[in-house]
Amino acid sequence: STQSTGNTSNMLRTALTTAAATPRALTQRLATRAASTIVSSHDEFSPLERVIIGRADNCCIPEKEPASEEKVPFDSPMRGLAGPRPADTVVAANKQLDGLADVLKAEGVEVDRPTPVDHRKPHATPDFSVPTAFGCMPPRDVILTVGAEMLEATMSYRSRWFEYLNYRPLLEHYWKEDRNMQWEAAPKPRLTDDSFRIGYLSADIPLEERLELVANKTFSTQDWTEPLFDAADVCRLGKDLFVQHGSTTNLAGIDWLKRHFEPKGYRVHAVNFPGDPYPIHIDATFTPLRPGLILNNPDRPLPKEQRAVFEKNGWDIVPAAQPVHDEPPPLCYSSVWLAMNVLVLNPTTVVVEASETNIIEQIKGFGMNVIDVPFRDAYAFGGGLHCSTADVRRAGECEDYFPNQ
């Protein structure tokens, strides 16, 4: 409608004005604001001011467990491997993570890093034990920033139950220094066998049958045993939070997020992407670039009935360009669609993996600037550029991008 298109245009003008005010070095106004406000981020594209970037230190390939078995494709060389990752790959990954940090610092962004625990040690609760943890390369999976709140997700891997500990020194610092920061932790799950569909997928099940299960919203995690969600299943767009229902976030987890955020004035929407046989995290499937524009994985289109709220408010959902690579890097869980796992620096500038020239050209075609950063050596440790970061602060206030519900 004319009204909805006008609303999106106004939001874009506001965002572009804010972005133009902070091209490389932050303005004095924002520097003054930053002195008192550490945590504030409302969406995926307002100008980034402060961020957490993960580390690859001591990262491990977890042992087989109920949550992870379904997340490793049957034809993946990762299947059956476990233990500490090779030392040379850790060095290579950290080099690219440090390179990303240097790029963002040069753009005026303040960068924080986690304090890695020893992921190589056994971990246990009264309900389960695992021989190793996972790592702390992808803070986006664990920490959800909504406004002034940083929320520790439940997680759905046993090997990732204690992953929040890597970020506790940072969250404690933010909480002590920023009187408005709200530090929250979702209830830790028990992750007994009752939380999973044990033996959910057999190697004998053809792809068509797996896709039918996903279309019917039947995943490896049981929906109502206990709330489960990973922070990377949440796409933040101002007053609206879009949460992927899949293998890492169940219906109870989405309901918990609704009860937690809706009294604070947010609207929580459940979405799913039936074309993905391994639906894990939303940010290699549905990627906002600026107000009114989202890239959608063409192999995993958002169902028509779930597009209504976007169409009513003048948003364009555009199929993402094809990845350059036919296969992920060695020892990598993720698909080639990490190509669209980009980090938006502001509504005019996007950080993209350097070899993904198809996505780079597509984004430039939208009239946006691209900063290309080599990052494939880091992929295996937990994902792409968006995965490896967690927002601490972006400029701007909480906007209502979807007034027509």
Side-chain angles (χ1 to χ4, degrees), residues 189-197 221-228 250-253:
R190 295 185 66 178
L191 297 182
T192 66
D193 285 357
D194 291 341
S195 291
F196 306 99
R197 292 183 171 90
T221 44
Q222 298 280 5
D223 268 323
W224 293 106
T225 303
E226 60 183 346
L228 299 175
N250 64 7
L251 289 179

Side-chain angles (χ1 to χ4, degrees), residues 199-220:
Y200 167 66
L201 287 180
S202 163
D204 298 327
I205 296 178
L207 176 61
E208 293 76 15
E209 190 170 337
R210 293 203 291 273
L211 289 173
E212 185 177 345
L213 287 169
V214 171
N216 292 330
K217 302 179 185 178
T218 301
F219 307 107
S220 59

Side-chain angles (χ1 to χ4, degrees), residues 13-14 44 71 119 194 220 236 258 273 361 391:
R13 281 196 294 271
T14 300
E44 308 287 347
K71 298 173 187 177
H119 313 296
D194 291 341
S220 59
R236 304 163 305 126
K258 282 178 176 283
F273 302 90
E361 291 306 312
D391 287 13

Side-chain angles (χ1 to χ4, degrees), residues 199-276:
Y200 167 66
L201 287 180
S202 163
D204 298 327
I205 296 178
L207 176 61
E208 293 76 15
E209 190 170 337
R210 293 203 291 273
L211 289 173
E212 185 177 345
L213 287 169
V214 171
N216 292 330
K217 302 179 185 178
T218 301
F219 307 107
S220 59
T221 44
Q222 298 280 5
D223 268 323
W224 293 106
T225 303
E226 60 183 346
L228 299 175
F229 69 91
D230 284 9
D233 274 320
V234 182
C235 176
R236 304 163 305 126
L237 295 174
K239 292 177 69 67
D240 292 83
L241 307 176
F242 295 88
V243 187
Q244 178 178 235
H245 178 208
S247 294
T248 41
T249 295
N250 64 7
L251 289 179
I254 296 173
D255 189 50
W256 190 93
L257 289 166
K258 282 178 176 283
R259 298 193 208 184
H260 182 73
F261 284 115
E262 288 189 346
K264 301 178 182 182
Y266 296 93
R267 297 178 290 249
V268 177
H269 311 260
V271 295
N272 69 296
F273 302 90
D276 185 0

Side-chain angles (χ1 to χ4, degrees), residues 106-138:
E107 293 294 323
V109 178
E110 189 171 355
V111 174
D112 297 325
R113 310 299 293 273
T115 303
V117 300
D118 192 346
H119 313 296
R120 300 166 297 181
K121 291 182 177 180
H123 289 64
T125 75
D127 292 303
F128 65 81
S129 62
V130 290
T132 70
F134 175 76
C136 62
M137 179 275 196

Side-chain angles (χ1 to χ4, degrees), residues 68-372:
S68 65
E69 181 180 8
E70 189 265 334
K71 298 173 187 177
V72 184
F74 292 110
D75 58 353
S76 171
M78 289 284 295
R79 210 164 176 83
L81 296 179
R85 288 183 176 270
D88 61 325
T89 67
V90 174
V91 171
N94 272 330
K95 181 179 179 180
Q96 293 194 336
L97 288 161
D98 292 345
L100 173 62
D102 290 341
V103 167
L104 294 185
K105 289 175 185 176
E107 293 294 323
V109 178
E110 189 171 355
V111 174
D112 297 325
R113 310 299 293 273
T115 303
V117 300
D118 192 346
H119 313 296
R120 300 166 297 181
K121 291 182 177 180
H123 289 64
T125 75
D127 292 303
F128 65 81
S129 62
V130 290
T132 70
F134 175 76
C136 62
M137 179 275 196
R140 187 79 59 173
D141 294 3
V142 184
I143 304 298
L144 175 62
T145 306
V146 178
E149 176 179 333
M150 300 187 88
L151 171 66
E152 298 172 8
T154 69
M155 310 305 291
S156 59
Y157 277 55
R158 291 171 178 171
S159 57
R160 305 189 73 178
W161 202 95
F162 289 101
E163 199 163 324
Y164 66 94
L165 292 175
N166 298 279
Y167 306 102
R168 278 292 175 90
L170 286 175
L171 268 63
E172 182 178 347
H173 170 71
Y174 302 153
W175 182 78
K176 288 179 177 177
E177 298 298 322
D178 181 351
R179 297 294 298 175
N180 294 317
M181 185 266 194
Q182 300 169 28
W183 178 6
E184 301 277 0
K188 295 301 290 182
R190 295 185 66 178
L191 297 182
T192 66
D193 285 357
D194 291 341
S195 291
F196 306 99
R197 292 183 171 90
I198 303 299
Y200 167 66
L201 287 180
S202 163
D204 298 327
I205 296 178
L207 176 61
E208 293 76 15
E209 190 170 337
R210 293 203 291 273
L211 289 173
E212 185 177 345
L213 287 169
V214 171
N216 292 330
K217 302 179 185 178
T218 301
F219 307 107
S220 59
T221 44
Q222 298 280 5
D223 268 323
W224 293 106
T225 303
E226 60 183 346
L228 299 175
F229 69 91
D230 284 9
D233 274 320
V234 182
C235 176
R236 304 163 305 126
L237 295 174
K239 292 177 69 67
D240 292 83
L241 307 176
F242 295 88
V243 187
Q244 178 178 235
H245 178 208
S247 294
T248 41
T249 295
N250 64 7
L251 289 179
I254 296 173
D255 189 50
W256 190 93
L257 289 166
K258 282 178 176 283
R259 298 193 208 184
H260 182 73
F261 284 115
E262 288 189 346
K264 301 178 182 182
Y266 296 93
R267 297 178 290 249
V268 177
H269 311 260
V271 295
N272 69 296
F273 302 90
D276 185 0
Y278 309 100
I280 309 157
H281 302 162
I282 198 170
D283 51 0
T285 298
F286 205 62
T287 304
L289 295 180
R290 65 190 183 203
L293 179 61
I294 293 179
L295 290 182
N296 189 183
N297 187 320
D299 293 345
R300 314 165 188 170
L302 184 69
K304 182 178 180 180
E305 64 273 14
Q306 295 174 27
R307 291 173 175 253
V309 70
F310 295 94
E311 293 170 350
K312 289 177 182 177
N313 292 280
W315 283 66
D316 293 324
I317 300 177
V318 179
Q322 289 292 317
V324 167
H325 302 276
D326 295 328
E327 295 182 351
L331 301 181
C332 181
Y333 284 106
S334 305
S335 79
V336 295
W337 285 104
L338 284 181
M340 60 182 294
N341 189 265
V342 301
L343 178 65
V344 180
L345 190 61
N346 58 55
T348 64
T349 308
V350 184
V351 184
V352 185
E353 205 288 320
S355 67
E356 293 294 350
T357 52
N358 293 342
I359 292 284
I360 289 173
E361 291 306 312
Q362 182 180 34
I363 291 174
K364 287 181 177 178
F366 298 136
M368 304 179 76
N369 303 313
V370 171
I371 300 174
D372 58 280

